[in-house]
């Protein structure tokens, strides 16, 4: 009888030990699996970076300081323009003689990018360059721009003083003032190694970018914007929307504009029309003094639609802020932006 009891105890103890052993094995196996499956801190960071979407038109994490360049937009010289598709922002600014000039904003692009033709500075160009904490490059200047630049109001590169980092090309036999070019790399090298300027900035950003496409059609104040006509006088700029590429093609005086070097059509994703409150003539009665501070109205245009907006610029040194009529800041679609600075005596057409 005692032997049977002993055998029963042995069996029970054996079962208990077996259960314990199985439990330990399962714990070790499942524990190791959890450890293997659990991502490390580094893995988690990499996963977040893979999911995070980034704006393509500019590197928002970069601290590269922009360079602005005064670019020729005289009708006879439009055909030899180069580099505009490498700018992430292009201003079109009214100038004397009822024409316009462009101000391209460049950063983090290939050093061999050719830009031009480069023209002379006007004092209002300095105001818009300051919005980006940029280095301002031009070839020549008005007496008012010269006076202001020589007071070190902004870091600048002036070709008419030292000629470099510019050169001349004239394949179309144009007048001499339409023949100056440069490269982004040459400007950058000259800024650092000759002028001693810093190429870093924490305050370069102007616009509020969205990683995707802004759909303005859902807004109550939206209007169709397949064709945008902006007259400056002897220059009439037209943007035509291409629904396949979702970009606007730039046309000047009925001619589709292209890069003289790459033959690529000039395009933009966004158009901001800034309607100034006016201008007056400078004391020598030659140049225009634009009223580019204060506040005013305009339009934001992208993806075939336009909405009314407001703009604010507290001083010549401050950044322009663009808002919808309810005062919320506009988001712009990920892509190049043309800012069309316009005077009130010329009517813009959007349809």
């Amino acid at each position: 009888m005692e032997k049977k009891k002993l055998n029963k105890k042995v069996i029970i103890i054996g079962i208990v030990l077996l259960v314990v052993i199985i439990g330990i094995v399962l714990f070790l196996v499942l524990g190791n699996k959890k450890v293997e499956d659990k991502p490390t801190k580094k893995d988690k960071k990499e996963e977040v970076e893979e999911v995070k979407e980034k704006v393509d038109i500019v590197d928002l994490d970069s601290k590269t300081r922009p360079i602005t360049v005064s670019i020729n937009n005289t009708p006879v010289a439009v055909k030899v323009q180069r580099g505009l598709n490498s700018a992430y922002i292009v201003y079109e600014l009214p100038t004397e003689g009822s024409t316009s000039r462009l101000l391209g904003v460049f950063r983090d692009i290939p050093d061999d990018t050719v830009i031009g033709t480069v023209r002379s500075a006007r004092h209002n160009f300095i105001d818009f360059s300051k919005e980006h904490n940029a280095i301002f490059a031009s070839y020549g200047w008005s007496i008012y721009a010269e006076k202001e630049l020589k007071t070190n109001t902004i870091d600048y590169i002036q070709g008419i003083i030292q000629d470099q980092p510019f050169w001349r090309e004239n394949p179309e036999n144009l007048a001499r003032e339409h023949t100056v070019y440069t490269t982004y790399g040459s400007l950058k090298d000259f800024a650092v190694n000759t002028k001693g300027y810093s190429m870093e900035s924490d305050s370069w950003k102007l616009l509020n970018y969205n990683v995707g496409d802004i759909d303005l059609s859902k807004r109550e104040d939206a209007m169709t914007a397949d064709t945008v006509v902006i007259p400056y006088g002897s220059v009439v700029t037209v943007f035509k929307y291409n629904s396949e590429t979702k970009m606007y093609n730039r046309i000047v005086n009925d001619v589709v504009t292209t890069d003289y070097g790459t033959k690529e059509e000039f395009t933009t994703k966004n158009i901001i029309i800034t309607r100034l409150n006016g201008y007056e003539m400078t004391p020598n009665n030659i140049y225009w003094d634009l009223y580019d501070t204060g506040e005013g109205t305009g339009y934001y245009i992208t993806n075939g639609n336009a909405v009314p907006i407001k703009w604010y610029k507290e001083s010549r040194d401050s950044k322009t802020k663009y808002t919808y009529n309810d005062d919320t800041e506009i988001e712009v679609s990920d892509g190049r932006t043309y800012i069309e600075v316009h005077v009130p005596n010329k009517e813009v057409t959007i349809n």
Side-chain angles (χ1 to χ4, degrees):
M1 195 70 161
E2 290 179 359
K3 188 175 180 182
K4 286 183 177 180
K5 286 182 179 180
L6 183 62
N7 288 339
K8 190 175 181 181
K9 282 183 179 180
V10 170
I11 292 170
I12 292 170
I13 291 170
I15 293 172
V16 170
L17 287 174
L18 182 62
V19 170
V20 170
I21 291 169
I22 292 171
I24 292 171
V25 171
L26 289 173
F27 174 81
L28 291 174
V29 171
L30 294 175
N32 286 335
K33 188 175 188 305
K34 286 181 180 179
V35 170
E36 290 172 0
D37 290 346
K38 184 179 180 181
T40 63
K41 289 183 179 180
K42 183 178 179 182
D43 292 336
K44 282 184 176 180
K45 184 178 178 182
E46 288 173 353
E47 287 176 5
V48 170
E49 287 178 349
E50 287 177 4
V51 173
K52 182 182 177 183
E53 293 183 277
K54 292 188 176 182
V55 173
D56 286 333
I57 192 64
V58 283
D59 182 355
L60 296 177
D61 297 324
S62 167
K63 292 186 178 182
T64 303
R65 189 180 184 188
I67 298 175
T68 55
V69 184
S70 177
I71 299 175
N72 200 347
N73 202 48
T74 304
V76 296
V78 167
K79 61 184 175 182
V80 295
Q81 288 173 333
R82 298 187 66 174
L84 295 180
N85 276 359
S86 294
Y88 66 97
I89 292 176
V90 178
Y91 293 87
E92 184 165 10
L93 302 163
T95 57
E96 69 279 358
S98 293
T99 185
S100 67
R101 196 158 293 180
L102 306 180
L103 185 71
V105 188
F106 303 89
R107 69 190 294 270
D108 291 332
I109 59 174
D111 284 352
D112 61 355
T113 302
V114 179
I115 302 168
T117 56
V118 184
R119 287 299 303 266
S120 55
R122 298 292 179 267
H123 66 281
N124 288 116
F125 296 7
I126 299 169
D127 303 352
F128 295 103
S129 293
K130 285 181 177 180
E131 295 192 319
H132 306 271
N133 187 28
I135 298 168
F136 174 43
S138 60
Y139 199 99
W141 42 24
S142 69
I143 59 173
Y144 303 100
E146 177 184 8
K147 180 180 179 181
E148 197 162 329
L149 289 171
K150 285 184 174 179
T151 61
N152 297 317
T153 185
I154 189 174
D155 290 344
Y156 69 94
I157 298 172
Q158 178 49 253
I160 204 168
I161 297 176
Q162 63 276 321
D163 210 36
Q164 56 179 316
F166 305 92
W167 76 88
R168 292 185 185 273
E169 282 184 31
N170 195 9
E172 298 292 332
N173 295 316
L174 301 177
R176 185 174 173 80
E177 64 265 27
H178 306 310
T179 63
V180 177
Y181 291 92
T182 189
T183 65
Y184 175 71
S186 298
L187 292 172
K188 190 170 59 174
D189 180 71
F190 190 83
V192 173
N193 296 319
T194 300
K195 301 288 282 186
Y197 298 148
S198 170
M199 281 301 298
E200 289 191 6
S201 172
D202 289 318
S203 58
W204 62 269
K205 185 182 172 187
L206 177 70
L207 300 176
N208 183 22
Y209 291 99
N210 186 298
V211 295
D213 274 356
I214 300 297
D215 184 4
L216 297 176
S217 66
K218 297 177 182 179
R219 295 182 58 91
E220 292 183 358
D221 53 356
M223 64 185 80
T224 299
D226 291 328
T227 303
V228 182
V229 182
I230 309 163
Y232 286 91
S234 63
V235 172
V236 178
T237 298
V238 176
F239 292 97
K240 290 209 172 210
Y241 184 60
N242 184 326
S243 58
E244 293 183 2
T245 63
K246 294 186 176 181
M247 300 286 283
Y248 285 88
N249 294 86
R250 180 173 174 266
I251 300 165
V252 174
N253 292 359
D254 298 323
V255 177
V256 175
T257 60
T258 58
D259 190 291
Y260 193 73
T262 66
K263 309 307 177 188
E264 183 181 32
E265 289 187 15
F266 290 136
T267 61
T268 189
K269 183 68 177 177
N270 308 294
I271 305 162
I272 294 175
I273 297 177
T274 304
R275 184 182 175 89
L276 301 183
N277 293 317
Y279 69 95
E280 63 184 20
M281 300 303 295
T282 53
N284 66 358
N285 206 35
I286 296 177
Y287 306 107
W288 286 17
D289 184 15
L290 305 176
Y291 300 161
D292 57 11
T293 60
E295 58 185 74
T297 60
Y299 293 94
Y300 170 48
I301 303 166
T302 192
N303 294 314
N305 289 279
V307 294
I309 62 169
K310 298 186 289 187
W311 62 267
Y312 305 87
K313 186 174 173 68
E314 291 182 3
S315 69
R316 293 186 63 198
D317 294 334
S318 64
K319 297 178 184 291
T320 305
K321 182 179 180 181
Y322 302 96
T323 72
Y324 296 112
N325 283 338
D326 62 4
D327 291 327
T328 58
E329 185 179 5
I330 69 170
E331 279 190 306
V332 297
S333 297
D334 184 1
R336 187 175 308 104
T337 302
Y338 272 68
I339 299 177
E340 300 289 321
V341 179
H342 207 253
V343 290
N345 62 345
K346 304 288 183 182
E347 285 298 323
V348 173
T349 304
I350 301 174
N351 53 47

